[in-house]
Amino acid sequence: MKIHEYQAKQLMKWYGIPIPKGQPAFSPEEAARVAKDLGAAVTVVKAQIYAGGRGKAGGVKLAHNIDEVKYFASQILGKKLVTHQTGPEGKMVNRLLIEEGSDIEKEYYLGITIDRDSAEVILMGSAEGGMEIETVAAEAPEKIFMERVNPAVGLQPFQAKRLTCRMGFPGNARGKVQTLMMNLYTLFVEKDCSLAEINPLVLTKGNDIIALDAKLNFDDSALFRHPEVEALRDESEEDPKERAAAKASLSYVNLGGDVACMVNGAGLAMATVDIIKFYGGEPANFLDVGGDSTVEKIAEAIRIMQSDDQVRSVFVNIFGGINKCDVIAGGIVEAAKLVGLKVPVVARLDGTNVEAGKKILREAALPKVHLVGKMEDGAKLAVELAAQAKEAV
Amino acid sequence: MSVFVGKDTRLIVQGLTGRQATFHTKIAMEYGTNVVAGVSPGHSGETVMGIPVFDTVADAKNATGANASVIYVPARFAADSIMEAIESDLDIVVCITEHIPVLDMVKVRAFMKAHPKTRLLGPNCPGILTVGEARLGLLPTYIHKKGHVGVISRSGTLTYEATYQLTLAGIGQTTAVGLGGDPVKGMDFIEALTAFNEDDDTYAIIMIGEIGGTAEEEAAEWIKANMKKPVIGFISGRQAPPGKRMGHAGAIISGGKGTADDKIKALCAAGIEVADTVAHIGETAVRVLKKAGIYEKCHTAE
């Protein structure tokens, strides 16, 4: 789960990490009020969306008086911001962060994540702050320094000290940076983060250390023990179809093409997206119905896929293990009754109760449903039907 | 012969009194798995389908001489159950549970260092099945056929899909191992490949990977250096949008690796033939076995 920058900063502040003074604002008037209270020589107006690259896209502005704050706020709010992380469709800006400008001496990078292979929490630091850390990793990996944490004892002061020295902080700022690292590690572990990033971490001309930007991602599997984190969720930032799917315990990712698919199991679902592409189609989505499907859940999955106007065919690819083919078939029939089948549905069923499932589909004799024997044939047919529908438009 | 589990496995089921555990234990017993004990705190003295239930893994092991455990425990308690099983120095612990917090698994992996004897399979995995001998987990039994090909996969349904394609092509299996899809987990490809490489009954191996991490790339290196038997590969996720699954900081550590194309390239460079689509895993296996001159030995039509 992701949260906004201003929420991440509030959490960091709670853990003793210095952040610029500031407040969120939801209207130009509120932005002006916050700026007036701050009374800073330079005020920063920052768009709050769940994506990076805001600065380059015009989502971060420096204002020198209250009128400018109000003007920039009205320019950014309610508009779509297109960054390299939002995709071409962009993201609507509904919130701003208004904060005081900082007197920057130098920018650094600090991040914490989990290394899946070694099963360790890792701190990463670099003197190349402010830019895309992926670029640094690709072009100059020697400029990124790492500390691996033993989970039994946690981050040790000598590690924070070593990382601080390697990152090249001047001697009189090092103590503050070490404390910040220890605090960020504590936050990471106590809140079950999957990623904590401060980019840039700023050394000011006055020799202070400030988290100028902040990003926190959380482990979805651990949210059950963090209701306070769950409460920060901003549903308007999530894809409406992905949100509806999550509510129905479906795993759905929008991919933008016209051949939808409904599959059981993440691995087979990914492989199904691949095979649609292999036969020349454009996959509309990734959809894993999970392991314990009910007729209602399958009907909801079909409703969600069909709610995408771009979709021209649906490929149902099921290998029943825990799932039963008769339940899947029942779901297709139910969806036809409840919401109607708007596009052709190609169904390949194998595994548990396969004969019962095929029987249900044959007896329902739905004109839009095509039952196929082999996965390969199903993928080809779904691609072909989508292409035909496209030509007919 | 087989790998990891078989006729000699004496199995504990942790969380046996739960619905899913009872359901799958019944199938496992019908398949011939030697289930000797269940563990459900507060239920000691009870029996489930004739299996004695104990409060702790240590009690169950002492009373029955168990050497393996399968865990069906809800996510918030599962890491604790894994550590309890590891502390009893069983040969293998299989955890089926999905959605265990990642930092809990970080602790489990650190805990395992003090108990090197125990292998951990999973979590979030379909389990392991040695054909005709033992079933730990969720694998459907009817898709298997006794034979000489080993199956290793990170995905549940892809394990079933690949196994069933082999069976339909007349190619039987020794053991199917589902490694699971969690970022921080126990057994990885190399550990399973090592066991199949040493198993006299296994003549070839199917290895099914997916995007994320670098386990497939490392396995490819290992295969190039050590593997005595043909390996057939498949990788899912060629069309996955980058960044949807893994945060970018994860990609920094792996040096920007982890895409399906990287993995396929690494496997090909190690001389492994990779199926172009999920529908062609069985066909690709047949072709590789014929090329290696072991198709007849592997074709176990009954």
Side-chain angles (χ1 to χ4, degrees), chain B residues 73-143:
Chain B
V73 167
R76 60 182 73 190
F77 313 114
D80 188 50
S81 295
I82 296 173
M83 289 191 271
E84 184 187 357
I86 288 170
E87 201 225 22
S88 286
D89 289 325
L90 302 173
D91 293 335
I92 185 165
V93 174
V94 178
C95 182
I96 306 303
T97 311
E98 63 177 328
H99 303 306
I100 299 180
V102 182
L103 283 173
D104 288 5
M105 283 309 302
V106 167
K107 284 185 196 153
V108 169
R109 285 277 299 270
F111 189 81
M112 285 175 73
K113 287 182 185 155
H115 299 273
K117 181 174 179 238
T118 306
R119 294 177 192 274
L120 172 65
L121 181 62
N124 188 17
C125 79
I128 178 169
L129 182 145
T130 288
V131 183
E133 298 186 22
R135 171 186 184 269
L136 285 67
L138 315 173
L139 284 87
T141 54
Y142 71 92
I143 60 172

Coordinates of all heavy atoms in Angstrom, one line a residue, chain B residues 73-143:
Chain B
V73 N -1.8 -22.8 8.8 CA -2.1 -21.9 10.0 C -2.3 -20.5 9.4 O -1.6 -20.1 8.5 CB -0.9 -22.0 11.0 CG1 -1.0 -20.9 12.0 CG2 -0.7 -23.4 11.6
P74 N -3.3 -19.8 10.0 CA -3.5 -18.4 9.4 C -2.3 -17.6 9.4 O -1.4 -17.7 10.3 CB -4.6 -17.9 10.4 CG -5.2 -19.1 11.0 CD -4.2 -20.2 11.0
A75 N -2.2 -16.6 8.5 CA -1.0 -15.8 8.2 C -0.4 -15.2 9.5 O 0.8 -15.1 9.6 CB -1.3 -14.8 7.2
R76 N -1.3 -14.6 10.4 CA -0.7 -13.9 11.5 C 0.0 -14.8 12.5 O 0.8 -14.3 13.3 CB -1.8 -13.0 12.1 CG -2.9 -13.8 12.7 CD -3.9 -12.8 13.3 NE -4.7 -12.1 12.3 CZ -5.5 -11.1 12.5 NH1 -5.6 -10.6 13.7 NH2 -6.2 -10.5 11.5
F77 N -0.2 -16.1 12.4 CA 0.4 -17.0 13.4 C 1.5 -17.9 12.6 O 2.1 -18.7 13.3 CB -0.6 -17.9 14.1 CG -1.7 -17.1 14.6 CD1 -3.0 -17.4 14.1 CD2 -1.6 -16.2 15.7 CE1 -4.1 -16.6 14.7 CE2 -2.6 -15.5 16.2 CZ -3.9 -15.7 15.7
A78 N 1.5 -17.9 11.3 CA 2.2 -18.9 10.5 C 3.7 -18.8 10.7 O 4.4 -19.9 10.8 CB 1.9 -18.8 9.1
A79 N 4.3 -17.6 10.8 CA 5.8 -17.5 11.0 C 6.2 -18.2 12.3 O 7.2 -18.9 12.4 CB 6.2 -16.1 10.9
D80 N 5.4 -18.0 13.3 CA 5.6 -18.6 14.6 C 5.6 -20.1 14.5 O 6.5 -20.8 15.0 CB 4.5 -18.1 15.6 CG 4.8 -18.5 17.0 OD1 5.9 -18.3 17.5 OD2 3.9 -19.0 17.7
S81 N 4.6 -20.6 13.8 CA 4.5 -22.1 13.6 C 5.7 -22.6 12.8 O 6.2 -23.7 13.1 CB 3.2 -22.4 12.8 OG 2.1 -22.1 13.6
I82 N 6.2 -21.9 11.8 CA 7.4 -22.3 11.1 C 8.6 -22.4 12.0 O 9.3 -23.4 12.0 CB 7.7 -21.3 9.9 CG1 6.6 -21.3 8.9 CG2 9.0 -21.8 9.2 CD1 6.8 -20.2 7.8
M83 N 8.8 -21.4 12.9 CA 9.9 -21.4 13.8 C 9.8 -22.6 14.8 O 10.8 -23.2 15.1 CB 10.1 -20.1 14.5 CG 10.6 -19.0 13.5 SD 11.1 -17.5 14.3 CE 9.6 -16.6 14.3
E84 N 8.6 -22.9 15.2 CA 8.4 -24.0 16.1 C 8.8 -25.3 15.5 O 9.5 -26.1 16.1 CB 6.9 -24.0 16.6 CG 6.7 -25.1 17.6 CD 5.2 -25.3 18.0 OE1 4.3 -24.6 17.5 OE2 4.9 -26.3 18.8
A85 N 8.4 -25.5 14.2 CA 8.8 -26.7 13.5 C 10.3 -26.8 13.3 O 10.9 -27.9 13.4 CB 8.0 -26.8 12.2
I86 N 10.9 -25.7 12.9 CA 12.3 -25.6 12.6 C 13.1 -26.0 13.9 O 14.1 -26.7 13.9 CB 12.7 -24.3 12.0 CG1 12.2 -24.1 10.6 CG2 14.2 -24.1 12.1 CD1 12.3 -22.7 10.1
E87 N 12.6 -25.4 15.0 CA 13.3 -25.7 16.3 C 13.3 -27.2 16.6 O 14.2 -27.6 17.4 CB 12.6 -24.9 17.4 CG 13.5 -24.6 18.6 CD 12.8 -24.8 19.9 OE1 11.8 -25.6 19.9 OE2 13.2 -24.3 20.9
S88 N 12.4 -27.9 16.1 CA 12.3 -29.4 16.4 C 13.2 -30.2 15.5 O 13.2 -31.4 15.5 CB 10.9 -29.9 16.3 OG 10.2 -29.5 17.4
D89 N 14.0 -29.5 14.6 CA 15.0 -30.1 13.7 C 14.3 -31.2 12.9 O 14.9 -32.3 12.8 CB 16.1 -30.7 14.5 CG 17.0 -29.6 15.1 OD1 17.2 -28.5 14.3 OD2 17.6 -29.7 16.2
L90 N 13.2 -31.0 12.3 CA 12.6 -31.9 11.4 C 13.4 -31.9 10.1 O 14.1 -30.9 9.8 CB 11.1 -31.5 11.1 CG 10.2 -31.5 12.3 CD1 8.8 -30.9 12.0 CD2 10.1 -32.9 13.0
D91 N 13.2 -32.9 9.2 CA 14.0 -32.8 7.9 C 13.4 -31.8 7.0 O 14.1 -31.1 6.3 CB 13.9 -34.2 7.2 CG 14.6 -35.3 8.0 OD1 15.5 -34.9 8.8 OD2 14.2 -36.5 7.9
I92 N 12.1 -31.7 6.9 CA 11.5 -30.7 6.0 C 10.2 -30.1 6.6 O 9.4 -30.8 7.2 CB 11.2 -31.3 4.6 CG1 10.7 -30.3 3.6 CG2 10.2 -32.5 4.7 CD1 10.7 -30.7 2.2
V93 N 10.0 -28.8 6.4 CA 8.8 -28.1 6.9 C 8.2 -27.4 5.6 O 8.9 -26.7 4.9 CB 9.2 -27.1 7.9 CG1 8.0 -26.2 8.3 CG2 9.8 -27.7 9.2
V94 N 7.0 -27.7 5.4 CA 6.3 -27.1 4.2 C 5.2 -26.1 4.7 O 4.3 -26.6 5.5 CB 5.7 -28.2 3.4 CG1 4.9 -27.6 2.2 CG2 6.7 -29.2 2.9
C95 N 5.3 -24.9 4.3 CA 4.2 -23.9 4.8 C 3.4 -23.5 3.6 O 3.9 -22.9 2.6 CB 4.9 -22.7 5.5 SG 3.6 -21.6 6.1
I96 N 2.1 -23.8 3.7 CA 1.1 -23.5 2.6 C 0.6 -22.0 2.7 O 0.3 -21.4 1.7 CB -0.1 -24.4 2.7 CG1 0.4 -25.9 2.7 CG2 -1.1 -24.2 1.6 CD1 1.2 -26.3 1.5
T97 N 0.5 -21.5 3.9 CA -0.1 -20.2 4.2 C 0.4 -19.1 3.3 O 1.6 -18.9 3.1 CB 0.2 -19.8 5.7 OG1 -0.1 -20.9 6.5 CG2 -0.6 -18.6 6.1
E98 N -0.6 -18.3 2.8 CA -0.2 -17.1 2.0 C -0.4 -15.8 2.8 O -1.1 -15.9 3.9 CB -0.8 -17.0 0.7 CG -2.3 -16.9 0.7 CD -2.9 -16.8 -0.7 OE1 -2.3 -16.2 -1.6 OE2 -4.1 -17.2 -0.9
H99 N 0.2 -14.7 2.4 CA 0.0 -13.4 3.1 C 0.7 -13.3 4.4 O 0.2 -12.6 5.3 CB -1.4 -13.0 3.2 CG -2.2 -12.9 1.9 ND1 -1.7 -12.2 0.8 CD2 -3.3 -13.5 1.4 CE1 -2.5 -12.3 -0.2 NE2 -3.5 -13.2 0.1
I100 N 1.8 -14.0 4.6 CA 2.6 -13.8 5.8 C 3.4 -12.5 5.7 O 4.0 -12.3 4.6 CB 3.6 -15.0 6.1 CG1 2.8 -16.3 6.2 CG2 4.5 -14.8 7.3 CD1 3.7 -17.5 6.4
P101 N 3.4 -11.6 6.7 CA 4.2 -10.4 6.6 C 5.6 -10.7 6.3 O 6.2 -11.6 6.8 CB 4.0 -9.8 8.0 CG 2.7 -10.3 8.4 CD 2.6 -11.7 7.9
V102 N 6.2 -9.9 5.3 CA 7.5 -10.1 4.9 C 8.6 -10.1 6.0 O 9.5 -10.9 6.1 CB 7.9 -9.1 3.7 CG1 9.3 -9.4 3.2 CG2 6.9 -9.2 2.6
L103 N 8.4 -9.1 6.9 CA 9.4 -9.0 8.0 C 9.3 -10.2 9.0 O 10.3 -10.5 9.6 CB 9.2 -7.6 8.8 CG 9.7 -6.4 8.0 CD1 9.3 -5.1 8.7 CD2 11.2 -6.5 7.9
D104 N 8.1 -10.8 9.0 CA 8.1 -12.1 9.8 C 8.9 -13.1 9.2 O 9.6 -13.9 9.9 CB 6.6 -12.6 9.9 CG 5.7 -11.7 10.8 OD1 6.2 -10.7 11.3 OD2 4.6 -12.1 11.0
M105 N 8.9 -13.2 7.8 CA 9.8 -14.2 7.1 C 11.2 -13.8 7.2 O 12.1 -14.7 7.2 CB 9.3 -14.3 5.7 CG 8.1 -15.1 5.5 SD 8.1 -16.7 6.3 CE 9.6 -17.5 5.5
V106 N 11.6 -12.5 7.4 CA 13.0 -12.1 7.6 C 13.5 -12.7 8.9 O 14.6 -13.3 9.0 CB 13.1 -10.6 7.6 CG1 14.4 -10.2 8.1 CG2 12.9 -10.1 6.1
K107 N 12.6 -12.7 9.9 CA 13.0 -13.3 11.2 C 13.1 -14.8 11.1 O 14.0 -15.4 11.6 CB 11.9 -13.0 12.2 CG 11.9 -11.6 12.8 CD 10.9 -11.4 13.9 CE 10.7 -9.9 14.1 NZ 9.3 -9.7 14.7
V108 N 12.2 -15.4 10.3 CA 12.3 -16.9 10.2 C 13.6 -17.3 9.5 O 14.3 -18.2 10.0 CB 11.1 -17.4 9.3 CG1 11.3 -18.9 8.9 CG2 9.8 -17.3 10.1
R109 N 14.0 -16.6 8.5 CA 15.2 -16.9 7.8 C 16.4 -16.8 8.7 O 17.4 -17.5 8.7 CB 15.4 -16.1 6.5 CG 14.5 -16.5 5.4 CD 15.1 -17.6 4.6 NE 16.3 -17.3 4.0 CZ 16.5 -16.7 2.8 NH1 15.4 -16.5 2.0 NH2 17.7 -16.4 2.4
A110 N 16.4 -15.7 9.6 CA 17.5 -15.6 10.5 C 17.5 -16.7 11.5 O 18.6 -17.3 11.9 CB 17.4 -14.2 11.2
F111 N 16.3 -17.1 12.0 CA 16.2 -18.2 13.0 C 16.7 -19.5 12.4 O 17.3 -20.3 13.1 CB 14.7 -18.3 13.3 CG 14.4 -19.3 14.4 CD1 14.5 -18.9 15.8 CD2 13.9 -20.6 14.2 CE1 14.2 -19.7 16.8 CE2 13.6 -21.4 15.2 CZ 13.8 -21.0 16.5
M112 N 16.5 -19.7 11.1 CA 16.9 -21.0 10.4 C 18.4 -21.2 10.5 O 18.9 -22.3 10.4 CB 16.4 -21.0 8.9 CG 15.0 -21.2 8.8 SD 14.5 -21.0 7.0 CE 15.2 -22.5 6.3
K113 N 19.2 -20.1 10.6 CA 20.6 -20.2 10.5 C 21.1 -21.1 11.7 O 22.2 -21.7 11.6 CB 21.3 -18.8 10.6 CG 21.1 -18.1 9.2 CD 21.8 -16.8 9.2 CE 21.5 -16.1 7.9 NZ 21.6 -14.7 7.9
A114 N 20.4 -21.1 12.8 CA 20.8 -21.9 14.0 C 20.3 -23.4 13.8 O 20.6 -24.2 14.7 CB 20.3 -21.3 15.2
H115 N 19.5 -23.6 12.8 CA 19.0 -25.0 12.7 C 19.1 -25.4 11.2 O 18.2 -25.6 10.5 CB 17.5 -25.0 13.0 CG 17.2 -24.7 14.5 ND1 17.3 -25.6 15.5 CD2 17.0 -23.5 15.0 CE1 17.1 -25.0 16.6 NE2 16.9 -23.7 16.4
P116 N 20.4 -25.6 10.8 CA 20.7 -25.9 9.4 C 20.1 -27.2 8.9 O 20.0 -27.4 7.7 CB 22.2 -25.8 9.3 CG 22.7 -26.1 10.7 CD 21.6 -25.6 11.6
K117 N 19.7 -28.1 9.8 CA 19.3 -29.4 9.3 C 17.9 -29.3 8.5 O 17.7 -30.1 7.6 CB 19.1 -30.3 10.5 CG 18.6 -31.7 10.1 CD 18.6 -32.7 11.3 CE 18.1 -34.0 10.8 NZ 16.8 -34.5 11.5
T118 N 17.1 -28.4 8.9 CA 15.7 -28.3 8.4 C 15.6 -27.6 7.1 O 16.1 -26.5 7.0 CB 14.8 -27.7 9.4 OG1 14.9 -28.4 10.7 CG2 13.3 -27.8 9.0
R119 N 15.0 -28.2 6.1 CA 14.7 -27.5 4.9 C 13.3 -26.9 5.0 O 12.4 -27.5 5.6 CB 14.6 -28.5 3.7 CG 15.9 -29.2 3.4 CD 15.6 -30.1 2.2 NE 16.7 -31.1 2.0 CZ 17.7 -30.8 1.2 NH1 17.8 -29.6 0.6 NH2 18.7 -31.7 1.1
L120 N 13.1 -25.7 4.5 CA 11.8 -25.0 4.5 C 11.3 -24.9 3.1 O 12.0 -24.4 2.2 CB 11.9 -23.6 5.2 CG 10.6 -22.8 5.1 CD1 9.4 -23.4 5.8 CD2 10.8 -21.4 5.6
L121 N 10.1 -25.3 2.8 CA 9.5 -25.1 1.5 C 8.3 -24.2 1.7 O 7.5 -24.4 2.5 CB 9.0 -26.5 0.9 CG 8.4 -26.4 -0.5 CD1 9.3 -25.9 -1.5 CD2 7.8 -27.8 -0.9
G122 N 8.3 -23.1 0.9 CA 7.3 -22.1 1.1 C 7.8 -20.9 1.9 O 9.0 -20.8 2.1
P123 N 6.9 -20.0 2.4 CA 5.4 -20.2 2.4 C 4.8 -19.8 1.1 O 5.5 -19.6 0.1 CB 5.1 -19.2 3.5 CG 6.1 -18.1 3.4 CD 7.4 -18.8 3.0
N124 N 3.4 -19.7 1.1 CA 2.6 -19.4 0.0 C 3.0 -20.3 -1.2 O 3.3 -19.9 -2.3 CB 2.9 -17.9 -0.4 CG 1.9 -17.4 -1.5 OD1 0.9 -18.1 -1.8 ND2 2.3 -16.3 -2.1
C125 N 3.0 -21.6 -0.9 CA 3.3 -22.6 -2.0 C 2.3 -23.7 -2.0 O 1.6 -23.9 -1.1 CB 4.7 -23.1 -1.7 SG 4.8 -24.4 -0.4
P126 N 2.2 -24.4 -3.1 CA 1.3 -25.5 -3.2 C 1.8 -26.8 -2.5 O 1.0 -27.8 -2.4 CB 1.1 -25.7 -4.7 CG 2.4 -25.3 -5.3 CD 2.9 -24.2 -4.4
G127 N 3.0 -26.8 -2.1 CA 3.6 -28.0 -1.4 C 4.4 -28.9 -2.3 O 4.9 -28.4 -3.3
I128 N 4.4 -30.2 -2.0 CA 5.3 -31.1 -2.7 C 4.6 -32.5 -2.8 O 3.8 -32.8 -1.8 CB 6.6 -31.2 -1.9 CG1 7.6 -32.2 -2.6 CG2 6.5 -31.6 -0.5 CD1 9.0 -32.2 -2.1
L129 N 4.8 -33.1 -3.9 CA 4.1 -34.5 -4.0 C 5.1 -35.4 -4.7 O 5.7 -35.1 -5.7 CB 2.9 -34.3 -4.9 CG 2.1 -35.6 -5.1 CD1 0.6 -35.3 -5.2 CD2 2.5 -36.4 -6.4
T130 N 5.4 -36.5 -4.0 CA 6.2 -37.6 -4.7 C 5.2 -38.6 -5.1 O 4.4 -39.2 -4.3 CB 7.2 -38.2 -3.7 OG1 8.2 -37.2 -3.5 CG2 7.8 -39.5 -4.2
V131 N 5.2 -38.9 -6.4 CA 4.2 -39.7 -7.1 C 4.0 -41.1 -6.4 O 5.0 -41.8 -6.3 CB 4.4 -39.8 -8.6 CG1 3.2 -40.5 -9.2 CG2 4.6 -38.4 -9.2
G132 N 2.8 -41.3 -6.0 CA 2.4 -42.6 -5.4 C 2.9 -42.8 -4.0 O 2.7 -43.9 -3.4
E133 N 3.6 -41.8 -3.4 CA 4.2 -42.0 -2.1 C 3.7 -41.0 -1.0 O 3.2 -41.4 0.1 CB 5.7 -41.9 -2.1 CG 6.3 -43.1 -3.0 CD 7.8 -43.1 -3.0 OE1 8.4 -42.6 -2.0 OE2 8.4 -43.6 -3.9
A134 N 3.8 -39.7 -1.3 CA 3.4 -38.7 -0.3 C 3.0 -37.4 -0.9 O 3.5 -37.0 -1.9 CB 4.6 -38.5 0.6
R135 N 2.0 -36.8 -0.2 CA 1.5 -35.5 -0.7 C 1.4 -34.5 0.5 O 0.7 -34.8 1.4 CB 0.1 -35.7 -1.3 CG -0.6 -34.4 -1.6 CD -2.1 -34.7 -2.0 NE -2.8 -33.6 -2.5 CZ -3.6 -32.9 -1.7 NH1 -3.7 -33.2 -0.4 NH2 -4.3 -31.9 -2.1
L136 N 2.2 -33.5 0.5 CA 2.2 -32.4 1.5 C 1.7 -31.2 0.9 O 2.5 -30.6 0.1 CB 3.6 -32.2 2.1 CG 4.2 -33.3 3.1 CD1 4.5 -34.6 2.4 CD2 5.5 -32.7 3.7
G137 N 0.5 -30.7 1.1 CA 0.0 -29.5 0.5 C -1.2 -29.7 -0.3 O -2.1 -30.5 0.0
L138 N -1.3 -29.0 -1.4 CA -2.5 -28.8 -2.2 C -2.5 -29.5 -3.5 O -3.5 -29.5 -4.2 CB -2.8 -27.3 -2.4 CG -2.6 -26.4 -1.2 CD1 -2.8 -24.9 -1.7 CD2 -3.6 -26.7 -0.1
L139 N -1.4 -30.1 -4.0 CA -1.3 -30.6 -5.3 C -2.4 -31.6 -5.6 O -2.6 -32.6 -4.9 CB 0.0 -31.2 -5.6 CG 1.1 -30.1 -5.9 CD1 1.8 -29.8 -4.5 CD2 2.2 -30.6 -6.8
P140 N -3.2 -31.4 -6.7 CA -4.2 -32.4 -7.1 C -3.5 -33.7 -7.4 O -2.4 -33.7 -8.1 CB -4.8 -31.8 -8.4 CG -4.4 -30.4 -8.5 CD -3.2 -30.3 -7.7
T141 N -4.0 -34.8 -7.0 CA -3.3 -36.1 -7.2 C -3.5 -36.7 -8.6 O -2.5 -37.3 -9.1 CB -3.8 -37.1 -6.1 OG1 -5.2 -37.2 -6.3 CG2 -3.4 -36.7 -4.7
Y142 N -4.6 -36.5 -9.2 CA -4.9 -37.2 -10.5 C -4.1 -36.7 -11.6 O -4.1 -37.4 -12.7 CB -6.4 -37.1 -10.8 CG -6.8 -35.7 -11.2 CD1 -6.8 -35.4 -12.6 CD2 -7.2 -34.7 -10.3 CE1 -7.2 -34.1 -13.0 CE2 -7.5 -33.4 -10.7 CZ -7.5 -33.2 -12.1 OH -7.8 -31.9 -12.5
I143 N -3.5 -35.5 -11.5 CA -2.7 -35.0 -12.7 C -1.4 -35.7 -12.8 O -0.6 -35.5 -13.8 CB -2.5 -33.5 -12.6 CG1 -1.8 -33.1 -11.3 CG2 -3.9 -32.8 -12.6 CD1 -1.4 -31.7 -11.2

